[in-house]
Amino acid sequence: MKVAQFSNCVSAIALVTALAATAPALAQQAPAAPQEADGLEVVIVTASGGNRTQINSSVSVTTVNAQAIADFKPSSESELLRMIPGIQVSGTAGPGGNSNIAVRGLPVATGGSPFVQIQEDGLPTVLFGDIQFGNNDYWTRFDASVANVEGVRGGSASTYASQAPGAVINYISNTGLQQGGYAQLSTGLGFSENRFDFRYGGPISDQTRFHVGGYLKKGSGPLDAGYDVSNSYQIKGNLTHDFADNKGFVRVLVKIADTQEPNYTGSPALASINGLEVSNIEPFPGFDGRTGSNYSVYNQDFLIFNRDGVLERVKMDGITTKATSLGGQVRYNLNDNWSVDNNFRWTDMSGGFAAPFLNVATRASVIGSVISRPGLPNATVASIRYAAGPKAGQAFTDTYLDNNVNVRTNIRDIGSTANDLKLTGNYDTGFGALTARVGYFYMKQNIAMDWHVNKSLRELSGNNPSQLDLFDAAGNKLTQEGISGYNNNWGDCCARDYDLSYTNTAPYIALELDAEKFALDGSVRFESVEASGNTVAGGSEFLVNSGGVQIATIRANGARENLNYTRDYTSWSFGALYKLNEDTSFFVRRSKGGRFNGDRQTVSGKINANGSLTQAGRTASVDFVNQDELGLKNRGDLAGGRYTLEFTLLQGDFKQSTFELSATRCPGGSGGCVIDAKYESSGAEAYATYRNGPFSVIGNATYSNAKISRPTGSGASGPFTRAPGIPDLSFTVAANYDFSDKIAVGVSTTGQTSSIDDGGREYPGGAVLNATAKYSLLKNVELSLSAYNLFDKFDLRGNGGVVNAGVNPAVISGNPALGRTITAAIRYTF
């Protein structure tokens, strides 16, 4: 635990407690928790008007409650999202985040979550889901304070939220409607990780209630880093006061978070390759991605050339976040027909991204290579030696090594101010209930960062790999601590320093007509995004003396790009619902939603010298997603139990122009390029629940036929081919059985079918099986065991690339799921 910073946690609890003791008039109506018997009766509060149940709404929406998430035991935040149909993510990036979250077969062209917005209590944590080195899954953590996670795909996500035409995923807080809580201590069995979770809330008076919850976590993790790469806490609290006579509520929300979690960047593996088919995948000797990573005690800190122009030693601490937020929610019923809602949040937030990226290369490709030394003759590599560890100074003779970066990005400011104001009127027309809404959304998002991408070399090992130093034929050292270049691994594109601000305003209107047998709705959102600030790119290479070694360096002192433009666009959505009976409804929907390209538009040649957009920049600054949906919602009795079913047929398309900073997908393997492509997808998604006495099961599946059209050499659109990284089918199923009041067990599985890489090579699908067992030692004391990947399957979900196809088995790289990970916990409920 971060003792020196824990005073912030105490301050947060003290603030909420003080508010609870003194507040005569603070609150909001809490979102209804999912009913255990029938989730289709849950009132939708995400990307909607907030007055319809799931079965009576013409949108695809899923609510997963906290208990279902705890039973599933996801290995990371992104794997939690696999519980929501339509969301396609490998779930292997680790607890820090940095996942590529696709939705409904609409792929991620470069990185992040361009079409998915993650919210906390109805407001986005960051405005854009694919901020470079600041993806939206960094900033939100599921903990005991969360009552449920709600996901709306397509439909009203385009018009009730900004920058979210694909989906909105909302983490909804428990607000203390019922007295009680729990404290839970969990620990890894066979690995170093301890976590303390807690929550408590309840009424203070007839009209006032509170809730406080959060977690503390520390350890080296299941992929043993050799040091405490996990070191986090988060405290969230809220205080609600309900007005008399059902007039509404007012609520204050507080969050304090200081998190440090690893980002896993993959591992090597062995495989058989026959044409474009990759099969028989198994762990690489000495680097089993189920249990090891390229984090290392010998690389837990490293040197960067910082923005002040000096060498600075920084920690290899994964993805770090620091956040303090204060929010307020108000609903007031003006009369029987009109109500006003307002949701506000101010957030002071910063962080960092530090990771040893993985790229498997041969030792032979390094020997004889040339190292640039501006102002001096270039040097030729003649030998490689261990830079640290028990073999320090000895010759390195392994066949393979890892020649990817040590990267450190300082996220100096990613704070924001957001507000969503909505006026709602309801009238009975005699033909049906007519609801009209007028809203206005405002959010100012700061993005200030400096990037430090070092050329780095280390041994290919999953057990504390050593950095590797290079030497010329005369024995002169060419690197320092395995670093051969500061800030220059991807060229002058990526020694970047910027301070940007985006202000998004969006008035929106919606009309709904709800008759006995059918419902109609339509909504329009008018977006305006104002961009300001500047970006400074890298300059020319120069030499820096690092411990007596001259290291080639780039600093962000090159061309300055100023932003001074505004982009306006419109999104809309129209739907119709037919109610066959109280247990069955059908819906159709058509939507067009836009999302703005934020910081990824910078340093791309699409901004004029005066800060305005070029014509190409105006076209590329907004990506539009078109979607059509046909859905069924049904519930009923089955074999003595009760079931619910949500099924949606869908198709969609979009065109995206975005900047890729690394050599991952750039032609010729150079860093920094603009990727233009068209995408289309058709498919289906399903979510079902079943409960029969002590037995319950929930499951979802997403089928996608996703395609991509890349420009030809002449700039024309090429043919549509299968999109990389999107499996045809992904699924999650979790089942639980209560044997008695004392014993309960559960099993779950998550998996997917095959997917292809950028070269068209097809990698097999797979699934992992998880299990939980609970035993009530006393009335209020529960012991539990949770096993992730019970059968220790090597499940390579995030396909990577082929390193060496000339050997048998071939050497490849990718991102496997965690291996067997067992956690024990004790919970005291009060």
Side-chain angles (χ1 to χ4, degrees), residues 133-484:
F133 290 114
N135 297 348
N136 55 10
D137 64 340
Y138 293 14
W139 314 103
T140 298
R141 296 281 181 263
F142 175 80
D143 65 14
S145 70
V146 178
N148 50 66
V149 177
E150 192 166 82
V152 173
R153 288 90 61 200
S156 57
S158 301
T159 53
Y160 277 92
S162 291
Q163 319 308 330
V168 175
I169 300 169
N170 189 14
Y171 286 57
I172 302 170
S173 295
N174 194 314
T175 60
L177 283 170
Q178 296 181 334
Q179 185 85 31
Y182 69 82
Q184 176 174 297
L185 180 63
S186 57
T187 186
L189 300 184
F191 65 99
S192 172
E193 184 173 281
N194 296 305
R195 177 167 172 143
F196 176 69
D197 293 88
F198 69 96
R199 74 169 190 87
Y200 185 74
I204 299 172
S205 66
D206 290 342
Q207 293 177 253
T208 305
R209 61 188 186 274
F210 79 101
H211 191 272
V212 177
Y215 77 96
L216 302 94
K217 179 184 176 186
K218 189 171 185 178
S220 57
L223 303 187
D224 187 7
Y227 61 100
D228 287 340
V229 72
S230 288
N231 192 2
S232 303
Y233 69 77
Q234 176 171 284
I235 309 290
K236 293 168 63 180
N238 57 72
L239 180 71
T240 304
H241 179 79
D242 296 313
F243 300 137
D245 302 322
N246 293 319
K247 280 291 187 179
F249 57 86
V250 60
R251 173 176 299 138
V252 171
L253 304 100
V254 178
K255 172 183 171 181
I256 302 288
D258 190 336
T259 71
Q260 173 190 315
E261 297 293 343
N263 163 239
Y264 299 133
T265 55
S267 73
L270 301 178
S272 300
I273 299 179
N274 183 11
L276 293 177
E277 182 182 359
V278 181
S279 61
N280 301 321
I281 298 176
E282 59 186 40
F284 186 86
F287 197 156
D288 186 339
R290 296 171 299 180
T291 57
S293 76
N294 51 357
Y295 283 92
S296 171
V297 293
Y298 307 122
N299 192 29
Q300 59 183 305
D301 56 57
F302 61 103
L303 290 171
I304 64 169
F305 192 77
N306 68 20
R307 65 194 304 258
D308 295 323
V310 297
L311 289 173
E312 176 188 356
R313 187 164 294 278
V314 296
K315 294 180 179 180
M316 184 67 78
D317 49 9
I319 294 176
T320 57
T321 75
K322 292 185 179 181
T324 301
S325 68
L326 179 64
Q329 299 174 332
V330 177
R331 171 175 294 172
Y332 189 75
N333 299 320
L334 302 173
N335 52 42
D336 291 340
N337 302 109
W338 289 94
S339 64
V340 62
D341 291 84
N342 194 69
N343 196 357
F344 166 83
R345 183 194 297 129
W346 166 84
T347 303
D348 179 17
M349 193 156 66
S350 60
F353 181 101
F357 281 15
L358 176 80
N359 184 67
V360 182
T362 62
R363 175 183 174 275
S365 68
V366 177
I367 299 295
S369 64
V370 175
I371 293 180
S372 171
R373 297 193 298 178
L376 294 175
N378 290 342
T380 300
V381 178
S383 63
I384 307 174
R385 304 176 193 173
Y386 290 91
K391 297 182 181 180
Q394 298 180 26
F396 173 81
T397 59
D398 291 358
T399 303
Y400 297 98
L401 48 73
D402 177 359
N403 69 348
N404 215 330
V405 300
N406 268 3
V407 59
R408 168 74 184 191
T409 298
N410 297 319
I411 308 173
R412 304 189 303 272
D413 182 11
I414 199 164
S416 62
T417 302
N419 194 84
D420 196 7
L421 173 66
K422 181 170 57 183
L423 179 67
T424 303
N426 296 283
Y427 286 92
D428 188 353
T429 65
F431 183 69
L434 179 67
T435 301
R437 294 185 181 86
V438 179
Y440 184 82
F441 172 80
Y442 167 91
M443 186 166 181
K444 182 178 181 181
Q445 177 70 67
N446 300 324
I447 307 175
M449 299 189 194
D450 49 281
W451 299 357
H452 307 278
V453 186
N454 291 353
K455 288 185 178 180
S456 181
L457 202 72
R458 65 187 65 87
E459 67 175 321
L460 191 64
S461 169
N463 182 23
N464 287 317
S466 169
Q467 293 289 104
L468 300 174
D469 276 328
L470 306 178
F471 294 81
D472 66 13
N476 297 310
K477 191 177 182 183
L478 305 176
T479 57
Q480 185 62 264
E481 298 177 354
I483 303 298
S484 61

Side-chain angles (χ1 to χ4, degrees), residues 618-667:
R618 288 194 63 81
T619 301
S621 61
V622 178
D623 301 319
F624 288 101
V625 177
N626 302 295
Q627 294 186 81
D628 298 291
E629 302 171 67
L630 173 63
L632 162 70
K633 301 180 183 184
N634 176 248
R635 60 189 175 189
D637 299 322
L638 178 66
R642 186 76 175 168
Y643 75 89
T644 69
L645 172 66
E646 304 163 58
F647 181 79
T648 306
L649 295 172
L650 50 96
Q651 66 175 17
D653 64 80
F654 75 96
K655 181 179 180 180
Q656 186 173 26
S657 177
T658 186
F659 185 76
E660 168 63 30
L661 61 93
S662 75
T664 306
R665 289 177 170 168
C666 288

